[in-house]
Amino acid sequence: MVGVEEAKRIMMEHFANTARRFGLSELYGYIYGVLFFEDEPLSLGEIAERTGYSLSHVSTALKLLENIGLVKRIKKPGDKRAYYTAIKNIREWRKEAYYKKIEEDVKQTRENLLKALKEVENDKSEEAEKIRQRIEFALQRNAITEKILNIFLKNEDEQVLKALLECLEEKLNSENP
């Protein structure tokens, strides 16, 4: 049992450090960690008790974790309380939450770049020409990002990464024998 508790402690610290790296309080990592190791959903009060943080702090953190797709809220029949569970399949989370958010951002970026380009289309000044060139460059980069993202959305991560690695190794090895 000592090994199990130490394994859980190591992973809890890992989740807390991950939250810190993303500029969040360690609480977000601890909440995810508590839920990650549970088989059954936990209530707000149970999560607060296990993390040692106040109900209001835990509630705020759960809203963000739910919003980014790492935690799911569940209602039990006949119980007014909300219960929470961690999304444990990180591959599915990346595809549904992470990649979808990036996809939204890429589309919004394209729309705004096109709007900005339209604003300077009839302007013949030197400054407008510079802006057009920068926007067109950004549109090209955005199109590449969109293509790469679509590859990840339509395929399994591991399959894409393996193919990408093979292509890069082959290309670099042929250039530097």
Side-chain angles (χ1 to χ4, degrees), residues 113-126:
L113 287 168
L114 291 171
K115 280 182 196 174
L117 192 59
K118 189 163 181 59
E119 289 299 319
V120 293
E121 73 182 344
N122 296 322
D123 190 330
K124 304 299 179 204
S125 70
E126 192 175 313

Side-chain angles (χ1 to χ4, degrees), residues 14-33:
H14 167 74
F15 293 136
N17 287 329
T18 299
R20 286 186 203 106
R21 278 193 298 277
F22 282 97
L24 299 170
S25 161
E26 64 192 20
L27 168 61
Y28 293 86
Y30 288 136
I31 290 172
Y32 183 79

Side-chain angles (χ1 to χ4, degrees), residues 30-57:
Y30 288 136
I31 290 172
Y32 183 79
V34 163
L35 293 172
F36 183 82
F37 289 111
E38 284 298 320
D39 293 330
E40 295 297 319
L42 296 177
S43 70
L44 175 67
E46 291 168 322
I47 297 166
E49 185 179 309
R50 294 196 189 178
T51 60
Y53 286 86
S54 71
L55 287 172
S56 64
H57 282 99

Side-chain angles (χ1 to χ4, degrees), residues 103-172:
E103 183 180 40
E104 287 173 28
D105 184 64
V106 167
K107 286 180 180 180
Q108 189 64 51
T109 299
R110 180 177 11 92
E111 288 174 19
N112 287 326
L113 287 168
L114 291 171
K115 280 182 196 174
L117 192 59
K118 189 163 181 59
E119 289 299 319
V120 293
E121 73 182 344
N122 296 322
D123 190 330
K124 304 299 179 204
S125 70
E126 192 175 313
E127 185 178 5
E129 181 56 34
K130 276 194 226 177
I131 289 172
R132 272 193 296 278
Q133 288 175 1
R134 289 179 185 165
I135 291 171
E136 286 168 1
F137 177 77
L139 278 166
Q140 290 170 358
R141 291 295 175 139
N142 190 269
I144 292 168
T145 302
E146 196 166 17
K147 286 179 184 177
I148 292 169
L149 187 58
N150 282 327
I151 290 169
F152 275 98
L153 283 167
K154 291 177 182 166
N155 301 281
E156 291 297 320
D157 290 5
E158 288 77 13
Q159 182 185 9
V160 174
L161 293 173
K162 185 178 177 186
L164 182 61
L165 187 59
E166 288 171 3
C167 287
L168 287 171
E169 286 174 341
E170 184 179 315
K171 176 93 171 132
L172 293 174

